[in-house]
Amino acid sequence: MTALVLFAHGSPVESANDAVRAVAHEAGKAAGVALAGVAFLEPYHPTLEESVELMAGQGATRVLVVPYFLTLGLHLQRDLPRIVAEAARRFPALEIRMTPPLDGHPFLAEVVVDRARTALEEWE
């Protein structure tokens, strides 16, 4: 069984974390995976390790980590690979993989254009 974990920075503003949870839920449904959840950088919870443990406890055999960051910054270059490697060592029975970041995906420009068009229409 495959689980999708949307990995984000996390925020002290809980509504921001709830927004990430909503995207994870919708993405999981659209991707057709059995389980979907979130993980955040410390000090926010669940951490990736906590989320992987939760998914394993629910029967996941594979975990796909999707970085929810717009740019390929320090967290994606340094922190996330280390955190994923630690989780893989802790849960050797699970296959854990990470997707490329959102950075560079062609649909990002479409999202920006959609937001701009909506704002421009409000000016008219």
Side-chain angles (χ1 to χ4, degrees):
M1 178 178 355
T2 301
L4 181 146
V5 175
L6 196 60
F7 180 80
H9 190 279
S11 172
V13 178
E14 196 53 36
S15 62
N17 297 332
D18 288 341
V20 177
R21 288 181 184 95
V23 171
H25 177 73
E26 290 301 315
K29 282 187 350 188
V33 297
L35 301 168
V38 298
F40 301 111
L41 287 169
E42 290 183 14
Y44 308 107
H45 295 275
T47 64
L48 184 61
E49 189 170 297
E50 292 167 343
S51 189
V52 168
E53 184 173 23
L54 176 67
M55 297 300 178
Q58 294 179 15
T61 55
R62 300 185 311 179
V63 177
L64 183 61
V65 179
V66 181
Y68 194 58
F69 290 76
L70 292 179
T71 58
L72 185 60
L74 191 58
H75 292 310
L76 293 184
Q77 291 180 11
R78 181 194 67 192
D79 299 330
L80 185 55
R82 175 185 49 78
I83 295 167
V84 168
E86 288 172 10
R89 278 191 297 277
R90 180 156 181 237
F91 301 97
L94 291 177
E95 183 178 356
I96 303 173
R97 292 190 183 178
M98 184 174 68
T99 72
L102 299 177
D103 188 25
H105 194 287
F107 288 153
L108 283 179
E110 290 183 33
V111 170
V112 171
V113 168
D114 180 67
R115 293 291 192 204
R117 282 188 181 138
T118 299
L120 292 170
E121 288 170 2
E122 291 174 1
W123 274 348
E124 295 176 0

